[in-house]
């Protein structure tokens, strides 16, 4: 099988509940296929997400811009470019495009971002929010308040040995110093029409983010459902800290999104950034959304 080693940004736009949602990109990386698929047999996942020779699979870093009135909200914070050559090689980090480039190509300057909402603080979800300028780390979006689960902020700033590989304190430090960082817990209305739900499972505080109202909603899946191939509730990543919790929240929210007809926003899917999940008997399937 011809394995795609590099990805291409799929620029997509949807209107949901009065919000204009644009799929942006902070490029791609590659992670071990077995780690991304947990107990799912390789013979099965290899056909859905073909691995390269080193067993890594291509994953996107799809951030989303949600615009309504004066609000330009960035959902999720990319992987960024503060990576040395060794780590860039291990994770096959490809900044093609970067979050700055994809925002510029839709005509939005960093200063125009009003809020950033993070699902959790793993380095591949918030690494682009600070940049190095004159040897100092500063916020990339100087006018944006950044909202993240409180427990994720705590893990990021002082991770224990089990969590240390997933977090970098530098990703949030400059935001905290600038007074831009705000923690949320449980279910939190960040803005009218933007709601975060702390679920846990994958990480202590991983959250889904809802955009819109009632049935006219999109759901940003974060690492709760990382790609459109991970939509069966037992397909849980080996990275997840609490597998039983992951199963419970995935089953509940996958069912809910299918029953409500919400548009799913998938952070790590290299081909499909926006799609609805549908029920197909006891299983689930993907209906690619018309925008
Ligand atoms: Zn994660």
């Amino acid at each position: 099988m011809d394995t795609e080693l590099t990805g291409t940004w799929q620029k997509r736009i949807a209107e949901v509940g009065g919000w204009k949602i644009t799929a942006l990109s902070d490029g791609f990386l590659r992670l071990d296929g077995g780690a991304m698929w947990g107990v799912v047999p390789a013979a099965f996942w290899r056909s859905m997400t073909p691995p390269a020779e080193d067993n890594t699979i291509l994953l996107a870093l799809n951030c989303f811009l949600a615009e309504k009135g004066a609000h330009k909200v960035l959902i999720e914070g990319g992987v960024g470019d503060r990576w040395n050559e060794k780590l860039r090689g291990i994770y096959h980090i490809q900044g093609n495009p970067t979050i700055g480039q994809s925002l510029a190509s839709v005509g939005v300057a960093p200063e125009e971002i009003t809020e950033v909402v993070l699902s959790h603080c793993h380095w591949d979800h918030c690494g682009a929010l600070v940049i190095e300028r004159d040897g100092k780390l500063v916020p990339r979006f100087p006018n944006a308040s950044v909202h993240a689960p409180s427990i994720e902020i705590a893990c990021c700033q002082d991770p224990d040995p089990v969590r240390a590989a997933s977090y970098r304190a530098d990703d949030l430090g400059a935001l905290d110093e600038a007074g831009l960082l705000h923690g949320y817990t449980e279910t939190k209305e960040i803005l009218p029409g933007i709601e975060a739900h702390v679920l846990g499972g994958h990480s202590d505080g991983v959250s889904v983010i809802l955009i819109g109202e009632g049935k006219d909603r999109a759901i940003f899946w974060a690492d709760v459902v990382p790609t459109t191939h991970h939509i069966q509730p037992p397909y849980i990543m080996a990275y997840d800290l609490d597998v039983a919790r992951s199963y419970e929240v995935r089953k509940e929210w996958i069912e809910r999104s299918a029953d409500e007809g919400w548009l799913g926003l998938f952070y790590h899917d290299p081909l499909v950034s926006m799609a609805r999940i549908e029920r197909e008997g006891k299983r689930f399937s993907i209906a690619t959304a018309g925008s």
Side-chain angles (χ1 to χ4, degrees):
M1 189 177 291
D2 191 19
T3 303
E4 286 285 338
L5 288 173
T6 57
T8 310
W9 173 29
Q10 315 279 328
K11 200 189 290 187
R12 296 206 54 187
I13 295 176
E15 299 275 347
V16 179
W19 291 83
K20 178 186 176 190
I21 302 176
T22 306
L24 300 173
S25 173
D26 195 35
F28 298 81
L29 48 65
R30 304 182 62 91
L31 294 176
D32 185 82
M36 283 300 293
W37 280 102
V39 298
V40 178
F44 192 56
W45 63 252
R46 278 168 178 268
S47 61
M48 293 190 280
T49 53
E53 266 174 33
D54 65 358
N55 219 38
T56 59
I57 61 172
L58 181 67
L59 296 167
L61 302 154
N62 298 320
C63 305
F64 294 85
L65 177 66
E67 297 172 274
K68 187 180 186 181
H71 295 286
K72 290 190 191 304
V73 184
L74 180 67
I75 310 288
E76 214 72 328
V79 71
D81 52 14
R82 292 175 294 106
W83 294 93
N84 63 34
E85 208 141 305
K86 184 180 167 202
L87 290 170
R88 200 177 282 277
I90 289 173
Y91 297 120
H92 306 267
I93 295 171
Q94 306 159 20
N96 58 321
T98 63
I99 187 67
Q101 288 165 346
S102 62
L103 264 176
S105 88
V106 300
V108 176
E111 294 75 21
E112 291 180 84
I113 298 295
T114 51
E115 289 88 10
V116 177
V117 186
L118 300 180
S119 68
H120 65 308
C121 298
H122 284 169
W123 49 257
D124 56 325
H125 291 255
C126 65
L129 298 184
V130 304
I131 51 174
E132 200 177 323
R133 195 173 283 157
D134 305 325
K136 230 182 135 238
L137 295 180
V138 296
R140 180 188 293 267
F141 306 109
N143 301 316
S145 53
V146 177
H147 302 265
S150 301
I151 191 164
E152 288 289 325
I153 295 174
C155 286
C156 184
Q157 291 176 333
D158 188 20
D160 66 17
V162 173
R163 292 162 176 79
S166 305
Y167 295 93
R168 300 188 305 177
D170 273 0
D171 286 335
L172 299 183
L175 304 173
D176 204 5
E177 281 163 30
L180 295 172
L181 192 58
H182 305 275
Y184 64 79
T185 56
E186 297 177 24
T187 296
K188 168 82 178 174
E189 187 183 69
I190 309 279
L191 289 170
I194 304 232
E195 202 173 272
H197 292 252
V198 178
L199 304 182
H202 166 68
S203 66
D204 297 85
V206 71
S207 306
V208 288
I209 297 151
L210 302 187
I211 305 158
E213 319 278 344
K215 283 187 185 292
D216 198 9
R217 271 184 164 171
I219 179 167
F220 175 69
W221 284 113
D223 279 352
V224 176
V225 186
T227 79
T228 56
H229 302 290
H230 287 81
I231 57 174
Q232 314 308 334
Y235 292 2
I236 295 164
M237 291 188 279
Y239 292 116
D240 287 22
L241 284 180
D242 182 341
V243 173
R245 176 76 186 158
S246 276
Y247 179 78
E248 190 185 318
V249 299
R250 282 166 49 79
K251 183 172 186 299
E252 177 187 342
W253 284 83
I254 289 167
E255 286 177 356
R256 193 167 168 195
S257 82
D259 294 344
E260 299 281 330
W262 294 337
L263 177 65
L265 307 177
F266 295 90
Y267 188 66
H268 283 309
D269 196 301
L271 295 175
V272 181
S273 55
M274 299 183 178
R276 288 186 165 77
I277 300 175
E278 293 179 334
R279 277 187 195 260
E280 207 178 66
K282 283 195 173 158
R283 289 174 64 81
F284 294 90
S285 61
I286 282 291
T288 304
S291 52

